[in-house]
Amino acid sequence: MLKLALVLSTALLVSAGTASAQAKRVGAPTAAISSLVAVPQDFETFYVAGITASTPGQGIPATMDSKAQTTVILGKIKDLLAAEGAGLGDIVMMRVYLVGVPSLDGKMDSAGMNEAYRTFFGTPEQPNKPARATVQVAALGSPTTLVEIEVQAVKKR
């Protein structure tokens, strides 16, 4: 526990020197998410509404699992942010809503969602990890919707 506290303290001190240039992210290097993200006041904030894998007029194929839906959703979010001059690395907060799936006895497929998530965050190409909450909900917009994700992103003005 003391070792973890030292690692976190070191990460905090290292990131404190760059806080004026970027959002400060604190957390264990091996964690999938940041425990805390602090945003300086000279940043613009983007609020991305809950996004699903649906296609207008077509919905979501029943064959898409949580991993596939997460991949589509994060791709859509990436495109929305890119249109504003931002990227996935600018996301500071993410909320993931998962429906329970029959193959997991009604439990959420967090493993499938996390497998897709880790291809977008905490990679050598995009090392930033947002703070995140993941919750199971009773239902989403349609019977085939298993995942919905909303994010907040920031970019220096």
Side-chain angles (χ1 to χ4, degrees), residues 56-145:
Q58 297 180 8
I60 300 173
T63 56
M64 285 186 81
D65 61 10
S66 298
K67 178 183 174 184
Q69 288 189 27
T70 301
T71 300
V72 169
I73 292 165
L74 293 176
K76 286 178 158 184
I77 291 171
K78 181 179 179 181
D79 292 345
L80 285 166
L81 291 172
E84 298 300 320
L88 293 175
D90 298 314
I91 295 174
V92 294
M93 184 65 198
M94 176 182 290
R95 288 174 193 82
V96 180
Y97 305 98
L98 299 172
V99 173
V101 293
S103 64
L104 295 175
D105 295 325
K107 295 181 178 126
M108 64 182 181
D109 182 13
S110 57
M113 185 281 299
N114 276 316
E115 191 175 341
Y117 169 89
R118 288 174 194 245
T119 65
F120 291 87
F121 298 94
T123 67
E125 300 81 34
Q126 199 298 99
N128 291 343
K129 298 176 269 188
R132 188 182 86 194
T134 304
V135 297
Q136 181 171 335
V137 296
L140 291 166
S142 77
T144 58
T145 304

Side-chain angles (χ1 to χ4, degrees), residues 23-34:
K24 176 174 63 175
R25 296 165 194 270
V26 178
T30 57
I33 63 172
S34 292

